Amino acid sequence: IGAYRVVNSFVFLIVMMVMGFNQAMQPIAGYNYGARQFDRVLRVLYLTMFFGTIVTTLGFAITEFLPGLCIRIFTDDPELTAIAMTGMKLTFLVFPLVGSQMVTGNFFQSIGMPGKSILMSLSRQLLLLIPFLLILPRYYGINGIWYSMPASDLLSVILGVSLLIPQVRKLKKMA
C-alpha cells in the first residue's frame, strides 16, 4: 500500500501538469467552437495534445531512467523503495499515451459533449482500473496490481482515439 501511494503520488505530479494544459485549452476550444472557428479548435486540441504528451513522456523517461530519485522524494525506506521501483517501472509503461487521453476527455467537455467527456474521465480510473485491480492480482500476484494501471491506461487511450477521430474528421469538414 505504501509503494502504491508513492507511485501514485508521482503519477499525480505529472498528471497535474497535464490538467493545467487542459484548463488552458477549455476556454479557447469552447469559445472558438461556439464561434464556429473550427480550425482554431483543432489547433488548440493538437497543441494541447502535443504538450500533454511531452509532459507524460518526460514523466515516463524520468521514471525509466531515475526511478530511485523519484521514489526518494517520498520515502527513504529501502524495502518500500524496492517495491516502489518495480511498481514505478510497470505503472509508467504506457504513460506517454496518457496525456492524449486526458486531453481528449477535456476536449469533449470544452465543445459541449458531456457524455463523451464523462466516459473518458471515468474510463481510466474507475471503469477500467477497478476491474483490472480485482482480476489481475489473482493471476500475477503483486505485479497484477502494477499491471492494472498500464492496462487501464492503454484501453482508455484506445477508447479516446476511437471517439476523437470521428470528431476531428467532422471538425475538419466543418472548417
Side-chain angles (χ1 to χ4, degrees):
I1 293 171
Y4 193 82
R5 174 69 176 140
V6 167
V7 171
N8 271 332
S9 294
F10 194 75
V11 167
F12 189 69
L13 289 174
I14 304 298
V15 164
M16 288 300 292
M17 288 185 253
V18 178
M19 289 172 73
F21 292 132
N22 283 335
Q23 292 283 321
M25 174 193 66
Q26 282 184 325
I28 298 167
Y31 176 84
N32 284 293
Y33 187 80
R36 304 189 60 77
Q37 297 291 321
F38 302 118
D39 57 327
R40 291 181 182 177
V41 173
L42 290 169
R43 191 168 27 177
V44 76
L45 169 66
Y46 296 149
L47 277 172
T48 309
M49 286 189 119
F50 174 77
F51 286 113
T53 301
I54 291 294
V55 167
T56 54
T57 300
L58 183 60
F60 166 78
I62 290 169
T63 60
E64 187 66 26
F65 299 112
L66 302 167
L69 179 66
C70 301
I71 294 164
R72 280 191 291 279
I73 293 170
F74 303 100
T75 185
D76 57 2
D77 179 90
E79 185 178 346
L80 187 58
T81 298
I83 297 168
M85 285 265 243
T86 300
M88 187 80 76
K89 289 200 173 260
L90 293 174
T91 297
F92 278 83
L93 278 174
V94 297
F95 210 69
L97 304 174
V98 170
S100 66
Q101 187 274 346
M102 291 177 62
V103 171
T104 299
N106 264 286
F107 176 71
F108 285 124
Q109 180 181 351
S110 301
I111 63 170
M113 297 184 164
K116 290 180 182 179
S117 177
I118 290 170
L119 178 61
M120 290 302 302
S121 295
L122 294 177
S123 69
R124 184 171 165 253
Q125 293 295 316
L126 184 69
L127 300 176
L128 296 169
L129 182 60
I130 291 175
F132 281 133
L133 282 170
L134 294 172
I135 296 167
L136 294 181
R138 293 177 189 209
Y139 299 100
Y140 300 104
I142 193 168
N143 283 343
I145 295 169
W146 303 121
Y147 294 146
S148 298
M149 287 193 264
S152 170
D153 290 343
L154 183 61
L155 288 181
S156 65
V157 166
I158 292 168
L159 173 64
V161 168
S162 69
L163 294 173
L164 187 62
I165 287 175
Q167 187 62 44
V168 167
R169 286 182 181 150
K170 183 178 176 183
L171 289 172
K172 284 182 178 179
K173 284 181 185 176
M174 293 189 313

